Amino acid sequence: MKSVIVIGDSHSTLYDKNSARNRGVWEDGSLNNLFDVRWIGPVTFWRLCRDQRDFIDFDKNIEYTALPECKMTTKVDEGSDIMIVLGEIDVRCNILKLGFGKYKDVVDDMIDKIELFISSYGGKFNFHIQSIVPAIYRANFSPKKPLFPFVGSDEERKEVTLYFNKKLKELSEKIDIGYFDIFDIYADKDNMMILEKSDSIVHAMKTKELEERIKEYYGE
């Protein structure tokens, strides 16, 4: 299988082989060296949309040190596969601050700017976008984690997640990049996060279904 650079917020560490990340370990050891994970901190699609390549530039050796454990650079070789993992923080913290009735306008504007960012590389890299994971039920969220704010009800965050994923998939088809969809692996019948497949905070954990999805999607 090809090597894939994964860049984004803490959800990118789902692909890390480092068990200390608390995302589980790969059952199939062949996946241990598939991903080059570049966790650059608690960052958002919102910031990428606003700052474009002043924030992330795969052509420049910019160092990111948002957290001590997130000391990463983003310069990569031409032709590399890059998967962007962002969006959960936007849904949980940012988009609904503007009001539930406005979320589609906000997401649509962000999608246009994500397209601008990716298109600025002119096909130099093989881009993929991971779907945003399901929103977690507020009732299931650990009260010991005050650094994870919530805006909006469970139903509102679910609706924003579904719409954002729909638009990310449409964008991927429009500009011919990959869309790695893992939403259904982690969603219950109401399209919310299955607690047993999470870290009981907001993150997905490694599962056998994820491993099979990776092999199907990234396999030669």
Side-chain angles (χ1 to χ4, degrees), residues 3-60:
S3 178
V4 181
I5 294 161
V6 181
I7 186 165
D9 60 20
S10 57
H11 293 271
S12 67
T13 63
L14 174 62
Y15 301 93
D16 202 322
K17 65 181 178 181
N18 185 349
S19 59
R21 301 295 192 208
N22 193 28
R23 307 289 185 268
V25 297
W26 299 119
E27 290 187 26
D28 185 338
S30 70
L31 298 179
N32 281 337
N33 298 313
L34 174 60
F35 299 105
D36 174 1
V37 177
R38 304 190 184 189
W39 171 28
I40 59 173
V43 295
T44 60
F45 259 137
W46 186 279
R47 183 174 173 188
L48 178 67
C49 293
R50 183 191 67 196
D51 296 343
Q52 297 287 308
R53 289 170 69 164
D54 287 336
F55 171 45
I56 296 176
D57 194 333
F58 298 112
D59 284 331
K60 295 181 180 179

Side-chain angles (χ1 to χ4, degrees), residues 125-143:
F125 305 109
N126 301 314
F127 280 102
H128 311 263
I129 297 176
Q130 184 208 271
S131 60
I132 301 169
V133 297
I136 197 164
Y137 291 102
R138 185 67 175 268
N140 287 341
F141 186 73
S142 170

Side-chain angles (χ1 to χ4, degrees), residues 95-96 98-108 156 159-161 163-164:
I95 294 173
L96 286 166
L98 301 176
F100 183 64
K102 298 180 179 179
Y103 79 87
K104 289 186 178 180
D105 291 338
V106 175
V107 171
D108 289 349
E156 287 170 338
E159 290 301 320
V160 176
T161 302
Y163 185 74
F164 209 149

Side-chain angles (χ1 to χ4, degrees), residues 42-210:
V43 295
T44 60
F45 259 137
W46 186 279
R47 183 174 173 188
L48 178 67
C49 293
R50 183 191 67 196
D51 296 343
Q52 297 287 308
R53 289 170 69 164
D54 287 336
F55 171 45
I56 296 176
D57 194 333
F58 298 112
D59 284 331
K60 295 181 180 179
N61 203 27
I62 301 173
E63 186 172 85
Y64 293 80
T65 55
L67 297 171
E69 63 269 38
C70 304
K71 190 174 182 179
M72 290 288 172
T73 59
T74 59
K75 182 176 174 60
V76 300
D77 295 332
E78 184 171 353
S80 295
D81 277 76
I82 300 170
M83 181 163 70
I84 298 171
V85 181
L86 294 168
E88 185 276 329
I89 300 174
D90 297 272
V91 171
R92 179 168 45 82
C93 302
N94 294 336
I95 294 173
L96 286 166
K97 285 182 180 178
L98 301 176
F100 183 64
K102 298 180 179 179
Y103 79 87
K104 289 186 178 180
D105 291 338
V106 175
V107 171
D108 289 349
D109 182 61
M110 293 174 70
I111 291 294
D112 288 342
K113 291 174 180 174
I114 295 167
E115 178 179 358
L116 179 65
F117 172 77
I118 292 174
S119 298
S120 72
Y121 289 98
K124 189 174 182 179
F125 305 109
N126 301 314
F127 280 102
H128 311 263
I129 297 176
Q130 184 208 271
S131 60
I132 301 169
V133 297
I136 197 164
Y137 291 102
R138 185 67 175 268
N140 287 341
F141 186 73
S142 170
K144 299 178 182 180
K145 297 293 182 182
L147 296 179
F148 291 80
F150 284 76
V151 176
S153 67
D154 289 350
E155 182 68 21
E156 287 170 338
R157 286 181 288 107
K158 176 186 74 174
E159 290 301 320
V160 176
T161 302
L162 289 171
Y163 185 74
F164 209 149
N165 278 338
K166 174 178 178 289
K167 301 304 289 188
L168 287 172
K169 182 177 181 181
E170 290 175 358
L171 173 63
S172 299
E173 293 170 349
K174 175 184 176 182
I175 62 176
D176 194 25
I177 64 171
Y179 180 66
F180 187 51
D181 190 356
I182 65 171
F183 182 88
D184 65 297
I185 295 174
Y186 297 97
D188 66 12
K189 63 181 179 59
D190 295 315
N191 287 317
M192 296 289 287
M193 175 69 82
I194 298 171
L195 181 63
E196 292 75 18
K197 293 184 177 182
S198 78
D199 64 348
S200 297
I201 307 176
V202 295
H203 303 100
M205 299 286 284
K206 292 179 177 64
T207 68
K208 187 65 175 176
E209 300 108 303
L210 176 65

